[in-house]
Amino acid sequence: MMETLFPNVKWDIMWQATYDTIYMTVVSTAVTFVLGLLIGILLFLTSPNQIWANKIVHFLTGSLVNIFRSIPFIILIILLIPFTKFLLGTIRGVNAALPALIVGSAPFYARLVLIAFREVDKGVIEAARSMGANTFTIIWKVLIPESKPALISGITVTAVALVGYTAMAGIIGAGGLGNLAFLEGFQRSREDVTLMATILILIIVFVIQWIGDTITAKTDKR
């Protein structure tokens, strides 16, 4: 049945491309979550009237976030080629795509983290400070727990975007379903290959969204 509907699909290659896409998405999402959270915390705490209020640090951090968030991903990949080669010794393969994926998505998620923290009731933060809570305690016992649904929702949106980024990472030979759909499907006029790759990408996106929505619903106590 599958061979009839998708005669040009080489399933071993298709499954490898699926694995590559999932690998790039999972690893880059995990690192993006940590980096984005740290940057978001720094942005929030250095903003006016906060614990580490510092105009210079806040401005510089915000500017860097805005710069990297504004660069089109396809251009960012090219700009980071020297850094990627220095870091990994190669610019090809799934691991070579990770620096660009992380640098491209971490600033985006950092902004979502900042927005989530700004939604936390200021009274809760002030109450914690008045009881002598230090900065670490405020971060881990107040900010993160109070904004957990928004943080999870934000990383879900970021992970979905990263699935799309992995397709563009094909220009450095990263592999993945997007690269397969273009090289083996579009360029060789094999519509069934493109269709199958698209279906698998959609399944990955739907699964990510379902997992994110489920966790968000369970952590939202409102």
Side-chain angles (χ1 to χ4, degrees):
M1 180 66 175
M2 296 293 284
E3 287 75 11
T4 303
L5 292 174
F6 304 98
N8 296 306
V9 173
K10 297 178 181 178
W11 292 103
D12 56 334
I13 297 176
M14 185 65 71
W15 297 134
Q16 181 61 48
T18 303
Y19 171 81
D20 290 345
T21 295
I22 294 173
Y23 172 80
M24 288 186 286
T25 302
V26 170
V27 174
S28 57
T29 298
V31 179
T32 291
F33 178 76
V34 175
L35 287 180
L37 186 61
L38 292 175
I39 297 170
I41 289 171
L42 182 62
L43 280 172
F44 179 77
L45 294 182
T46 57
S47 58
N49 302 318
Q50 294 302 329
I51 303 171
W52 294 345
N54 188 308
K55 290 183 178 180
I56 296 176
V57 174
H58 185 75
F59 173 78
L60 292 176
T61 306
S63 297
L64 286 174
V65 166
N66 289 336
I67 289 171
F68 283 103
R69 197 163 59 104
S70 302
I71 299 174
F73 184 70
I74 197 73
I75 296 176
L76 185 63
I77 292 176
I78 297 171
L79 290 176
L80 289 177
I81 284 177
F83 173 73
T84 301
K85 191 170 184 178
F86 169 78
L87 192 66
L88 301 174
T90 181
I91 61 170
R92 302 186 66 82
V94 291
N95 288 324
L98 295 178
L101 291 170
I102 293 165
V103 172
S105 58
F108 173 75
Y109 183 58
R111 279 295 175 190
L112 297 180
V113 171
L114 177 61
I115 293 171
F117 286 165
R118 283 176 175 171
E119 294 298 317
V120 176
D121 189 346
K122 293 180 180 178
V124 178
I125 300 175
E126 290 301 322
R129 293 178 67 178
S130 66
M131 289 187 290
N134 57 29
T135 304
F136 181 84
T137 301
I138 291 174
I139 292 172
W140 296 108
K141 298 294 185 179
V142 179
L143 286 177
I144 292 178
E146 289 291 324
S147 59
K148 192 180 294 183
L151 294 177
I152 295 170
S153 180
I155 198 61
T156 302
V157 172
T158 305
V160 169
L162 278 166
V163 176
Y165 287 171
T166 62
M168 289 182 276
I171 67 168
I172 58 172
L177 289 167
N179 184 56
L180 182 68
F182 179 72
L183 294 179
E184 298 294 329
F186 177 75
Q187 287 196 338
R188 297 189 179 187
S189 299
R190 295 173 176 173
E191 290 81 4
D192 56 330
V193 175
T194 302
L195 177 61
M196 189 68 243
T198 302
I199 291 172
L200 290 171
I201 288 174
L202 289 173
I203 291 174
I204 292 172
V205 169
F206 288 151
V207 169
I208 291 172
Q209 192 65 58
W210 177 78
I211 293 173
D213 290 344
T214 301
I215 298 175
T216 300
K218 288 184 177 181
T219 56
D220 194 346
K221 304 302 180 181
R222 292 173 297 177

